[in-house]
Every structure is written in structure tokens, then in C-alpha cells.
Amino acid sequence: MIKKNISLALILISFLGSTQSLKKGIDLFDQGELESSKKFFKAIDDDNPERNYYLGRIAFEQDELDDAVDFFEDAIDEKESSKYYTWLGNSLGVMAQNANMLRQGILAPQVKEAFEKAVALNPKELDAQWGLMEYYTQAPGFMGGSWEKAEETANAIKKVDLLRGYDAMIIVYSRQEKYDLAEKEYIAASNFDSRRVLNLGMFYQRRGNYEKAFKLSLIHISEPTRLGM
């Protein structure tokens, strides 16, 4: 019994020491001390998924995208996590943006798969949902692009964060040139948060609808119910 208690104590000490190392590295990362943070995480066993996740984040910030992908994949090998898949998708997405058409065709399905796995693990992972919405609105149909899925994803975002969902739906409708529907989302966002009235006014100006833009400027933001223009 004594030996068992000693073993448990050693495990606890080891765990606490690892947690402390992680916290210090995370604090350094949050403070923008990337090189110091990298040094701390490099000293931790490479089978620690959080260690690999933060090394991936550091590599991403330093525009070392191949390394970032490797680290996020290593983290996933140890533990599947929505945030790991989200950042894998982010890294692959940036790589695809800067790649030639041939490599884009290879990377694009990997981006989609990473975001889909993130959402499957946690539907409230909004960055992954947003990544999927962007993908569905920009990828051609034969690569999985879909306006229907884009709208479904924007609605899924609304269920978690209403205002961000309005923003997502605005993008979906605007990219389809369904500006009447986009206007409704702008108005709904303005009614929900009066600070968004400025965005609505800019939308009218971009569309050349200066009459509505002027009318909007005369409406006091304390009367949001009057924005149903």
C-alpha cells in the first residue's frame, strides 16, 4: 500500500510539473514571446498533444506552414481535438491560398476534411464552422463547394453566436449576389447590435443606394425597430 501511494505521488508530481511547464509556455505564447515559448515546448516530450499544438501555433505565426501542419498532425495522432483539426485546416488553407493550381487541388480536400472533423467533434467550434462556410462558398462544386451547405453552416453558426451567424449569412448571400437577402441579414444584425448600423450604411453605399444610406443616417440607433427599411 505504501509503494502504491508513493507511485501515485510520483505520478502526481510529474503531472503537476508538466502542467506548470505548459502554463509557462502558454503564457509566453500569449505574450508574443514566440521563441521563448518554442524553447519551453521543445523541452517537453513530443508525445504531449498540447505541446505539439502550441508548437504548431508558433510555426503558423512564423509562417512556417509545413512545420505547423506536421505539429498539428502529431497532436491529432496523440489526441483528436476540434481545436487541433481547426488549426490544421487553417494551416492547410493558407498553404492552399499561396499554392499553384495543381497543389491547390491536392490541399483543398484536406482543408475541408480537417474542418469537417473539427465540427463533428464539436459543433460549437465556430472557427471551423467559419472555415467550412468560406470553403463551401469559394470551392467549385466538383471539389465540394455548395451554396446549400454554406447556408446550412451559416445557420449552424447562428445557433451558437447569432451576430457572427448574421455575418456568415451576409457573406453567403453577397457571394451569390443575392443582395436583397444580404440586406435583411444586415438589418437583423443592426437590430441585434446597434453598432452594426454602420455596416448597413456602408452596404447601401457600396450598392449605390445613397437614399437608403442617407435615411439610415437620420434614424437614431436607439430605435432599432425602425430599421426594417
Side-chain angles (χ1 to χ4, degrees):
M1 187 67 177
I2 294 175
K3 288 183 178 180
K4 184 177 180 181
N5 287 339
I6 292 173
S7 297
L8 290 173
L10 290 173
I11 291 172
L12 180 60
I13 291 170
S14 176
F15 173 77
L16 290 174
S18 175
T19 302
Q20 183 62 30
S21 295
L22 285 174
K23 183 180 185 307
K24 190 164 186 177
I26 294 169
D27 288 343
L28 287 167
F29 175 81
D30 290 340
Q31 294 163 12
E33 300 288 340
L34 299 185
E35 287 301 324
S36 296
S37 181
K38 182 191 293 188
K39 182 179 178 180
F40 270 95
F41 285 118
K42 285 281 190 179
I44 297 172
D45 290 341
D46 61 7
D47 60 354
N48 186 307
E50 282 290 280
R51 173 257 196 197
N52 290 320
Y53 166 72
Y54 276 99
L55 285 172
R57 291 288 305 275
I58 293 166
F60 183 90
E61 292 296 326
Q62 295 180 332
D63 202 29
E64 297 170 352
L65 297 175
D66 288 322
D67 288 341
V69 168
D70 289 341
F71 281 124
F72 293 132
E73 288 179 340
D74 287 343
I76 290 167
D77 286 342
E78 296 296 330
K79 177 185 176 182
E80 288 203 326
S81 165
S82 60
K83 72 176 181 179
Y84 300 165
Y85 276 116
T86 296
W87 277 95
L88 175 61
N90 289 340
S91 301
L92 291 168
V94 175
M95 289 175 69
Q97 290 174 8
N98 300 318
N100 58 43
M101 291 188 66
L102 179 61
R103 194 166 186 225
Q104 283 181 346
I106 296 171
L107 291 171
Q110 297 177 37
V111 175
K112 178 172 172 285
E113 182 181 11
F115 286 138
E116 286 177 339
K117 286 185 176 180
V119 170
L121 287 169
N122 179 13
K124 294 183 179 181
E125 188 70 57
L126 290 183
D127 288 343
Q129 292 277 25
W130 192 274
L132 274 179
M133 180 275 296
E134 290 280 2
Y135 185 91
Y136 291 141
T137 61
Q138 296 186 67
F142 71 90
M143 293 181 67
S146 166
W147 294 117
E148 182 180 357
K149 287 186 177 180
E151 289 186 30
E152 289 175 359
T153 305
N155 279 318
I157 293 172
K158 275 187 178 181
K159 292 177 181 179
V160 182
D161 185 327
L162 186 58
L163 192 56
R164 197 169 182 189
Y166 287 137
D167 291 339
M169 197 63 83
I170 286 167
I171 290 174
V172 174
Y173 287 143
S174 294
R175 288 178 180 171
Q176 293 180 83
E177 299 184 359
K178 294 181 178 179
Y179 297 115
D180 55 333
L181 296 178
E183 179 186 8
K184 291 179 180 179
E185 298 296 323
Y186 272 113
I187 291 172
S190 298
N191 286 334
F192 182 79
D193 184 344
S194 61
R195 292 172 297 181
R196 293 304 184 94
V197 172
L198 178 61
N199 292 355
L200 176 59
M202 293 173 66
F203 167 75
Y204 286 139
Q205 291 184 45
R206 287 195 301 270
R207 300 297 305 146
N209 196 330
Y210 300 110
E211 182 180 351
K212 279 191 174 183
F214 178 71
K215 180 181 176 182
L216 181 67
S217 69
L218 298 179
I219 298 176
H220 195 279
I221 61 174
S222 66
E223 299 178 292
T225 55
R226 293 184 59 195
L227 292 180
M229 304 172 70

